[in-house]
Amino acid sequence: MTSLRVDALTVRLGDADILRGVDISASDGELLAVVGPSGCGKTTLLRTIAGLVRAASGDIRLGTRLVATHGIHLRPERRGIGWVPQDATLFPHLTVAQNVAFGMPGSSGRRSPRRRRALDPEVGRVLALVGLDGFAERMPSQLSGGQAQRVSLARALASRPALVLLDEPFAALDPLLRHELRESVPAWLREEGVTAVLVTHDQEEALSLADRVAVMRDGRVLQEDAPAIVFGLPATAWVAGFVGDAVFLDGQWHEDVVDTVLGRLPAQWAEHHVAGDVAAPAAGTAVTVMLRPEQLGVTSDAEGVGVVRRARFTGHSALLEIGLAGGAILHARVASPAATPPGTRVRVDVGGSALAYRPADDEGVRATG
């Protein structure tokens, strides 16, 4: 197993900084998920770790090996990294076994022809690992999308890499196959003891699969932590809104409570918990308050503070859109919308604590929502 550590990584294209002082790490055998909006630098980060892009500054370590730093840029083929792209780019004229063998050391050239390496026991082992032990002689044209993606993963694992990089490998699959591979791929990686970095635009995928999650924006990592902490104690209001459904309200801070349109709520100063040296603001300071829709209880009440505007059924639950006095809107997740149809005036109760941040307008996040 091999750990990954990236320190102060900066990548420039022309005059633009694509990555700006990025710090991430993954311990031996961990799966690190990197999420962020399109264009934030996720794929550039992967390509730089792989050695396909040269860093302007910063360090990249694989275990004890320094593979990139000032004056050092180890070539991609010497880094021992496996790559699984979004689309399974298999050689159409080679069998499944030959495609897998292509990724093995010495798979080309006179020393070990591809066809001989396709008979290697290691090929059979990794095909069995990904559930394709009966597919060795099939051609790529005979595979489904999910099977082709598993071959791509087997090829990456066959080289016994120090690290596997997965660039949105499930994005092009239908929901059933995506669910299947989301379950199996992390299990295969952990069975092999392989450290991995998964880039995805799907926050649910990242939170459910990874040991750690890094959230990127504009070439920077805003937070890296365990999924439960990234979701439960987001470092900023923007991170809170990106990693899950969130309700943002204006508020005033008063020690351990905030005054909001929903009344006085118990609250935590989120930035203190994430970066312990950030002190809470003075009493009366304007803040942004974040709640999760699951924290809101909704009850029909003629004297309530809001009116249900619409209900959106999502299968296992429903999301109610509730209009409040002054034009504010919030969303509450309920088991069934039947008791509070659109037009119903409701009382909104809050369970648990709110999180308070500096005003969200500073980050481009709506202060009401």
Side-chain angles (χ1 to χ4, degrees), residues 74-162:
L74 200 65
R75 294 195 305 271
E77 64 272 18
R78 297 184 58 195
R79 297 195 182 195
I81 292 175
W83 183 281
V84 182
Q86 178 174 336
D87 298 314
T89 51
L90 305 181
F91 297 104
H93 62 291
L94 299 181
T95 66
V96 165
Q98 290 165 355
N99 266 283
V100 172
F102 197 91
M104 298 172 66
S107 64
S108 60
R110 296 178 181 176
R111 291 183 302 165
S112 187
R114 280 195 303 272
R115 293 187 183 277
R116 188 180 306 159
R117 292 308 300 267
L119 302 176
D120 194 300
E122 180 67 6
V123 173
R125 187 189 73 83
V126 294
L127 284 176
L129 178 68
V130 300
L132 293 176
D133 47 341
F135 289 70
E137 297 306 315
R138 293 200 187 185
M139 303 300 293
S141 61
Q142 298 173 297
L143 304 176
S144 69
Q147 290 165 346
Q149 194 64 294
R150 282 186 275 173
V151 175
S152 183
L153 177 65
R155 184 170 59 189
L157 294 177
S159 64
R160 294 195 175 272

Side-chain angles (χ1 to χ4, degrees), residues 4 19 21 37 63 71 113-114 125 142 169 178-179 183 185-186 198 208 266 294 303 310 337 341 343 367:
L4 167 71
L19 299 179
R114 280 195 303 272
R125 187 189 73 83
Q142 298 173 297
R178 188 160 60 245
H179 176 76
E183 294 293 320
V185 167
L198 167 69
S208 63
E294 295 78 13
E303 304 299 322
R310 68 186 184 110

Side-chain angles (χ1 to χ4, degrees), residues 31 33 84-88 145-146 148-150 152-153 164-189 196-202 204-206 208-210:
L31 173 58
V84 182
Q86 178 174 336
D87 298 314
Q149 194 64 294
R150 282 186 275 173
S152 183
L153 177 65
V164 169
L165 305 177
L166 304 106
D167 190 6
E168 303 207 38
F170 315 126
L173 304 178
D174 65 58
L176 186 60
L177 285 173
R178 188 160 60 245
H179 176 76
E180 176 189 339
L181 291 183
R182 277 178 175 177
E183 294 293 320
S184 54
V185 167
W188 297 328
L189 293 171
V197 180
L198 167 69
V199 156
T200 177
H201 65 278
D202 188 322
E204 179 183 346
E205 183 173 281
S208 63
L209 299 187

Side-chain angles (χ1 to χ4, degrees), residues 167 187 221 319 322:
D167 190 6
V221 172
L319 202 63
I322 300 171

Side-chain angles (χ1 to χ4, degrees), residues 19 41 124 150 155 193 215 224 235 252 273 276 287 290:
L19 299 179
R150 282 186 275 173
R155 184 170 59 189
V215 184
E224 182 196 334
Q252 277 195 331
H273 288 273
V287 295
M290 192 281 288

